[in-house]
Amino acid sequence: QVQLVESGGGSVQAGGSLRLSCVASGLTYTAYHNSCMGWFRQAPGKEREGVASTYLYDGNRYYADSVKDRFTILQDNPKRTVVLQMNNLKSEDTAIYYCALRRSSDGHCTPLEPAYYGDWGQGTQVTVSS
């Protein structure tokens, strides 16, 4: 049974930084490395949107335009951990952040849309005050 557990959310002022972590368990070595890990967020009253993704086999990354040059997705495969480093946070980054897994043997992690990702964490709240 796949389990994803996020941590690291909190409250910060605009311009600050937060680091989110997602630890995966319940996957074989092959299954893990043939997967994409994505970060998504959902603000109140809005649809869930993709933020960043990485292909766990080779670290090929994708970022949404709204977070490019501010967020970085990092991975530590031996620890089955994917980190979302968020810098220069803005009030519009306030949301619940989720990590999610997508099985992919061909390295395609996009489109970064919730429907393509089958396993989800419980979410962690990020609040940015201006």
Side-chain angles (χ1 to χ4, degrees):
Q1 180 178 350
V2 176
Q3 188 173 18
L4 304 176
V5 179
E6 302 103 334
S7 61
S11 297
V12 67
Q13 289 191 329
S17 299
L18 282 173
R19 188 177 178 95
L20 307 182
S21 293
C22 175
V23 180
S25 61
L27 290 152
T28 66
Y29 177 92
T30 300
Y32 183 79
H33 287 83
N34 285 306
S35 296
C36 306
M37 188 72 80
W39 282 97
F40 296 79
R41 66 187 182 187
Q42 189 166 18
K46 295 189 176 181
E47 293 188 352
R48 194 169 296 188
E49 63 173 353
V51 173
S53 68
T54 183
Y55 187 48
L56 294 170
Y57 176 75
D58 62 7
N60 187 30
R61 304 168 189 172
Y62 168 84
Y63 296 95
D65 287 342
S66 58
V67 305
K68 207 170 286 185
D69 299 326
R70 299 190 298 123
F71 290 11
T72 304
I73 188 167
L74 305 165
Q75 61 192 78
D76 184 341
N77 284 358
K79 294 184 179 179
R80 301 285 180 98
T81 299
V82 174
V83 166
L84 185 68
Q85 177 66 43
M86 306 185 294
N87 298 328
N88 190 21
L89 283 160
K90 305 176 180 180
S91 57
E92 51 262 44
D93 295 319
T94 294
I96 299 175
Y97 283 72
Y98 302 87
C99 62
L101 199 72
R102 169 180 177 172
R103 313 302 174 91
S104 176
S105 59
D106 59 7
H108 288 134
C109 298
T110 57
L112 189 55
E113 296 178 4
Y116 290 89
Y117 284 72
D119 299 292
W120 291 81
Q122 81 285 357
T124 185
Q125 177 70 47
V126 171
T127 303
V128 184
S129 57
S130 56

